[in-house]
Amino acid sequence: LMVTKMTCMMDPPRTIEWETDALDLTLVINEDGVVCLRHLLPHREPKPVTPSPFFLDSDLPLVSVRMVGEGNTIRDKTAKCLIGTYLSARLRYCSHKSHLDDKKASLDVTSEDQQTGIQVVQHFVVYRAIPVLRSSATITNTSPSSSCVVTQLSSLTLGGLTAGTKDWVHEYSLMTANNSWFREAQWREDQLSALGIDDNGLLQLGDGHHASFANYTVSSRGSFSTGTYLPMGLLKNQDENDVLLWQIEHNGSWRWGI
């Protein structure tokens, strides 16, 4: 038996609560009308009262999309990162719908940028009681008069993964796996600071920046999706009570970043 529960609150702050047998998602529609994924938690696990000791929230636009001619907001990130684009911040919530059958629960969230006519549908799927979220996105140009060149479309964007502690630099580590025909699945573990993701005191400057330009990415080019790295990653804290494992399901080029 699979049961899902959908709760929608359209009074500010507007939220969409989606509960399945395995996972609970909280989507927030911010003051600009942009959809953000605030919580992704095991079913019935208490949500953090304070999302971050540094910020009121750690929300990021649900979709990170980049097109030719569209840049990044200066205060967030550079174009080397996968987040912080102007277009992502203009995608306004349109609608959502959920579906349930004997195998899976699904949720589709539609957003649109009126300036370019770009429409994006974010697809979430949870299979029975398996605590895994499958996420993908579909992009459509609804403008009858203009064309566009899409250079990036995320399958999932999630903020605040280490927000529960001020000492996140030392308490969290990242695991990646080198992969080749003769040395496969060679997992390694690094502290975030060793990868350039560090607390550099930027927040204390008070200049309005939400984040540093630091980023760490793993990528693969071409149709050999496991030719250099496994299309996977794992972020965990020291006591392993907080672990997030992801896998990219794609037979072409891919990239993920933190």
Side-chain angles (χ1 to χ4, degrees):
L1 176 65
M2 173 177 280
V3 178
T4 60
K5 177 183 177 182
M6 178 75 70
T7 304
C8 302
M9 297 179 60
M10 289 300 133
D11 294 329
R14 297 181 291 173
T15 61
I16 301 170
E17 301 277 355
W18 188 50
E19 298 182 4
T20 72
D21 285 352
L23 296 171
D24 295 343
L25 275 71
T26 301
L27 299 172
V28 176
I29 305 171
N30 67 20
E31 59 184 9
D32 296 322
V34 180
V35 185
C36 308
L37 176 55
R38 177 166 293 181
H39 297 304
L40 171 59
L41 298 168
H43 183 46
R44 294 182 178 177
E45 180 171 312
K47 297 180 179 63
V49 177
T50 303
S52 168
F54 302 105
F55 306 102
L56 294 177
D57 62 68
S58 301
D59 297 339
L60 293 172
L62 181 61
V63 177
S64 291
V65 59
R66 193 185 304 275
M67 296 195 318
V68 171
E70 292 279 352
N72 272 54
T73 59
I74 297 176
R75 67 177 186 173
D76 289 328
K77 286 291 181 179
T78 69
K80 296 179 181 180
C81 295
L82 301 176
I83 61 172
T85 68
Y86 281 111
L87 181 55
S88 301
R90 295 200 311 263
L91 287 171
R92 301 295 185 261
Y93 166 82
C94 294
S95 63
H96 68 275
K97 62 180 180 180
S98 61
H99 178 72
L100 179 66
D101 59 33
D102 58 349
K103 294 182 179 180
K104 65 183 183 300
S106 59
L107 173 66
D108 294 336
V109 182
T110 302
S111 302
E112 187 172 3
D113 173 33
Q114 294 183 353
Q115 182 173 321
T116 60
I118 289 297
Q119 184 182 86
V120 179
V121 181
Q122 187 79 33
H123 310 281
F124 295 123
V125 177
V126 176
Y127 290 89
R128 294 186 178 273
I130 301 173
V132 174
L133 176 71
R134 173 175 279 182
S135 179
S136 62
T138 303
I139 189 169
T140 305
N141 183 7
T142 65
S143 173
S145 58
S146 62
S147 60
C148 64
V149 179
V150 179
T151 58
Q152 172 195 313
L153 178 64
S154 66
S155 55
L156 182 66
T157 305
L158 181 61
L161 298 179
T162 62
T165 172
K166 288 187 176 181
D167 198 24
W168 55 272
V169 173
H170 301 105
E171 292 184 13
Y172 277 83
S173 59
L174 181 72
M175 295 187 67
T176 57
N178 295 328
N179 199 73
S180 70
W181 280 356
F182 301 105
R183 282 186 63 83
E184 296 184 340
Q186 299 298 301
W187 284 91
R188 57 173 292 168
E189 182 174 353
D190 295 282
Q191 281 198 327
L192 294 182
S193 58
L195 303 175
I197 308 297
D198 208 342
D199 183 0
N200 58 6
L202 181 70
L203 185 66
Q204 287 73 29
L205 294 178
D207 58 0
H209 283 75
H210 288 171
S212 73
F213 289 166
N215 71 101
Y216 178 80
T217 62
V218 178
S219 62
S220 177
R221 298 182 63 182
S223 60
F224 192 177
S225 64
T226 59
T228 305
Y229 304 99
L230 287 182
M232 303 178 70
L234 186 147
L235 183 71
K236 66 175 183 176
N237 62 4
Q238 289 179 340
D239 58 16
E240 299 188 357
N241 287 327
D242 185 15
V243 178
L244 184 71
L245 171 69
W246 58 92
Q247 169 182 290
I248 298 174
E249 300 176 345
H250 184 49
N251 62 354
S253 300
W254 55 262
R255 181 185 178 193
W256 61 259
I258 62 171

